[in-house]
């Protein structure tokens, strides 16, 4: 990757011998001062040579043993910082400067990652991120400065201030991989942050000036939006040439199971898959990890160090600790559309430090990539945390750009993780809280939905399709996942939508009534089991099974009531606009009969029967020879909808569900984001070292090339950190 070294080599030495000598010296016992020309030779070495697996493993172990004395990790990080400073200060720097920086960050990543994976304590001292007091230092360099702060400042400064170009692409990519490695200390701890957690590099990132934080957030999102392609025609880096072999440190990474770069064949892939882009993927992983990080601080420390003295949810007391503010989260929450400034509307000038982004391009990019879990996480983060972006989404007239990939993903729920499905449903719930959204989705007519296989959907409204998919998701959950929160979220979204239904399709209307029947069957089975248990013993008893049955029956009673309230909302507020719903209720009116006298349902079902009586009487009054066809019944319903009056029906308060995020969302999102990052092979990590989420460890590993995704795909989190409020 680097240029041919200009420094003298050992006389007559082959390139392989030189590489062996320099890498061997780096990991060995001998200490090289930070000002030694050894470092220039190391960073100018062309790393396109092979090392066998056993030697790589030995190198990593030897480095870990000797670093406490040599402090070579600190020194390579300092040289990385100097290289980055030169790249930033001199935009016209020769390519050799960038190549040295690439080599520095790559070497740093490989060996830092090994140290993190094999950390034995919670002490930062284990990394030896300082120079020995006796170390001779170059003029102007403070030997006592914080190394992690130095390197993170320069890494973030380069990412935020240097444009991505063919010349800088590889360095940007390697720096993002370094960020993932440096922040992977999170994997060593449990999901709930504790005051003893050691995350020195991510803590250093949190301590940066707000102006730099804004630049970094903007650059990471622009990388995701623009999705820069690999510069195939660039001759700067041999790694991009077709005949290249994995370099020395690429072998270090893969052989020691500490792969830092994406697999070589992925880097040079030409599949044309628009949703996959190495730089965009890495940028989004880094952004999400930064956004959801919260440092747990011991409560008796001074609170004056906080950037915001107001009592926010970030800093609420949790026992004797509090959680420090996250500048990246604030920057993302306050991002503004580059095409629109709120000062024009409100007359209040906002701080010029706000991140400005092209919301239109971000909207379109998300629509293109929502099959990917990280894109879903970004969309959730924006619609929940950034009111400007949520408002932008709600006023778009092409909501199908976002909703169609969401609904298609929900349709294929069996191929997705439960967390993926759940976050998508929360997004729909957040959107359904807005009445204009609920109205506008019925104005968008879809010519066809080719991926929906159970029924031919022709010229179906987006709103009708959303109803169909939500009900299908409930059915899938009922048979497979049995997740209470998933049921609740689906029904809450339908309840928010119900008063705004407009010309709901026949199929959607049928599915809505079938939803009641499906839940009623589950309810009846539970009731029968309880009756059988009471019949045998004379009482329900106090054992765990009895308690579980009783609790589950209560849950399904609530679900049935919500569905009845959904039907009531349609009949009360939108009946004239939804004749197909009336027809579906009339066609299956017998499913409501068993619940007419149920104390929780009777008033709601009374309203349904008032509608049934009205339309049944209109049909009975018509003289008709022969059987009534479905078309004739529907036509009669449409005609009599005009004379329907809601007076006489018992009015219920409209259900309105809203989403409320748990006070400590990092306990859910941090493990989730890391699991996704690992499964997408942007970074591999020793599974035995992971404590952030449960990992199934393989009994034996006969093949080193087993797909990383198989190690992490079954590690879904069972606890959903969300609340639903009526």
């Amino acid at each position: 990757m680097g240029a041919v070294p200009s420094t003298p080599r050992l006389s007559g030495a082959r390139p392989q011998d030189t590489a062996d000598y320099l890498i061997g010296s780096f990991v060995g016992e001998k200490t090289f001062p930070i000002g030694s020309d050894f470092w220039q030779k190391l960073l100018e070495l062309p790393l396109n040579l092979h090392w066998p697996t056993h030697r790589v493993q030995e190198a990593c172990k030897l480095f870990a043993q000797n670093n406490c004395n040599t402090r070579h990790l600190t020194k390579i990080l300092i040289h990385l910082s100097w290289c980055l400073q030169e790249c930033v200060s001199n935009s016209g720097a020769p390519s050799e400067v960038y190549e040295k920086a690439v080599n520095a960050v790559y070497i740093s990543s490989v060996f830092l990652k090994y140290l993190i994976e094999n950390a034995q304590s919670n002490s930062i001292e284990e990394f030896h991120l300082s120079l020995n007091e006796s170390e001779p230092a170059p003029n102007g360099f403070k030997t006592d400065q914080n190394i992690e702060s130095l390197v993170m400042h320069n890494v973030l400064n380069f990412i935020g201030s240097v444009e991505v170009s063919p010349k800088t692409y590889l360095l940007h990519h390697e720096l993002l991989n370094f960020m993932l490695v440096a922040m992977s200390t999170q994997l060593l701890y449990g999901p709930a942050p504790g005051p003893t957690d050691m995350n020195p590099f991510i803590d250093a990132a949190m301590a940066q000036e707000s102006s730099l934080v804004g630049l970094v957030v903007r650059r990471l999102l622009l990388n995701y939006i623009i999705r820069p392609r690999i510069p195939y025609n660039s001759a700067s880096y041999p790694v991009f040439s077709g005949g290249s072999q994995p370099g020395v440190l690429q072998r270090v990474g893969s052989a020691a199971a500490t792969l830092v770069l994406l697999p070589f064949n992925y880097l040079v892939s030409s599949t044309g898959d628009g949703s996959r882009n190495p730089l965009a993927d890495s940028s989004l992983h880094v952004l999400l990890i930064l956004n959801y990080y919260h440092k747990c601080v011991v409560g008796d420390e001074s609170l004056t160090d906080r950037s915001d003295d107001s009592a926010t949810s970030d800093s609420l007391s949790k026992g004797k600790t509090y959680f420090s503010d996250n500048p990246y989260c604030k920057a993302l929450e306050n991002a503004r559309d580059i095409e629109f400034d709120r000062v024009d509307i409100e007359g209040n000038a906002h701080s010029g430090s706000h991140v400005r982004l092209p919301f239109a391009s971000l909207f379109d990019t998300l629509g293109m990539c929502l099959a990917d879990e990280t894109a879903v996480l970004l969309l959730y983060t924006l619609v929940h945390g950034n009111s400007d972006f949520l408002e932008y989404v709600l006023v778009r007239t092409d909501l199908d750009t976002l909703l169609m990939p969401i609904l298609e993903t929900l349709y294929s729920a069996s191929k997705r993780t439960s967390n993926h499905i759940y976050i998508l449903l929360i997004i729909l719930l957040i959107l359904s809280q807005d009445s204009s959204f609920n109205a506008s989705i019925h104005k968008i007519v879809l010519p066809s939905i080719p991926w929906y296989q159970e029924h031919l959907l022709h010229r179906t409204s987006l709103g009708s399709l959303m109803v169909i998919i939500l009900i299908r998701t409930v059915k899938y959950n009922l048979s497979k996942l049995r997740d209470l929160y998933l049921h609740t979220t689906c029904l809450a979204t339908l309840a928010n939508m119900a008063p705004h239904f407009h010309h709901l399709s026949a199929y959607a209307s049928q599915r809505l009534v079938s939803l009641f029947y499906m839940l009623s069957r589950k309810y009846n089975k539970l009731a029968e089991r309880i009756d059988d248990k009471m019949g045998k013993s004379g009482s329900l008893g106090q054992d765990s099974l009895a308690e579980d049955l009783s609790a589950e029956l209560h849950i399904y009673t609530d679900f049935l009531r919500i569905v009845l309230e959904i039907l009531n909302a349609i009949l009360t507020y939108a009946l004239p606009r939804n004749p197909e719903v009336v027809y579906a209720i009339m066609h299956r009116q017998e499913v409501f009969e068993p619940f007419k006298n149920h104390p929780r349902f009777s008033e709601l079902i009374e309203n349904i029967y008032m509608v049934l009586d009205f339309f049944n009487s209109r049909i009975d009054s018509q003289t008709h020879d022969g059987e009534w066809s479905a078309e004739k019944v529907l036509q009669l319903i449409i005609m009599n909808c005009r004379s329907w009056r809601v007076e006489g029906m018992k009015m219920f308060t409209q259900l309105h569900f809203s989403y409320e995020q748990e006070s400590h969302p990092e306990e859910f999102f941090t493990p989730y984001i890391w699991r996704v990052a690992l499964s997408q092979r942007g970074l591999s990590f020793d599974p035995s070292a992971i404590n952030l989420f449960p990992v199934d460890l393989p009994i034996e590993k006969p093949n080193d090339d087993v797909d990383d995704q198989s190690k992490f795909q079954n590690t879904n989190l069972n606890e959903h950190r969300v609340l639903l409020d009526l």
Side-chain angles (χ1 to χ4, degrees), residues 16 19 50 182 202-203 263 284 365 419 429 435 439 516 526 620 666 678 704 722:
Q16 179 70 61
H50 275 129
I202 195 168
D203 286 340
L284 188 49
T365 302
N419 287 335
L429 175 58
S435 57
F516 179 83
L526 286 169
D620 292 342
E666 69 279 354
L678 292 172
D704 288 340
V722 295

Side-chain angles (χ1 to χ4, degrees), residues 207-313:
Q208 301 303 312
E209 293 291 331
S210 60
S211 57
L212 177 55
V213 169
L215 288 173
V216 171
V217 170
R218 180 177 180 273
R219 170 54 53 198
L220 294 176
L221 282 170
L222 286 179
N223 286 348
Y224 183 70
I225 294 168
I226 297 170
R227 314 182 77 72
R229 305 308 302 178
I230 296 167
Y232 291 106
N233 296 326
S234 173
S236 300
Y237 308 113
V239 73
F240 289 140
S241 62
S244 292
Q245 297 297 320
V248 170
L249 289 178
Q250 285 174 300
R251 293 291 297 173
V252 169
S254 59
T258 55
L259 184 64
V260 180
L261 276 176
L262 292 168
F264 182 73
N265 59 352
Y266 182 31
L267 261 181
V268 296
S269 171
S270 58
T271 60
D273 184 352
S275 66
R276 308 305 311 177
N277 179 284
L279 196 68
D281 292 346
S282 297
S283 296
L284 188 49
H285 289 147
V286 168
L287 177 63
L288 290 171
I289 291 168
L290 288 170
N291 182 78
Y292 284 101
Y293 178 73
H294 283 83
K295 180 176 177 60
C296 183
V297 182
V298 177
D300 59 2
E301 291 186 5
S302 172
L303 299 183
T304 57
D305 293 335
R306 293 173 51 229
S307 60
D308 181 8
D309 291 332
S310 62
T312 64
S313 60

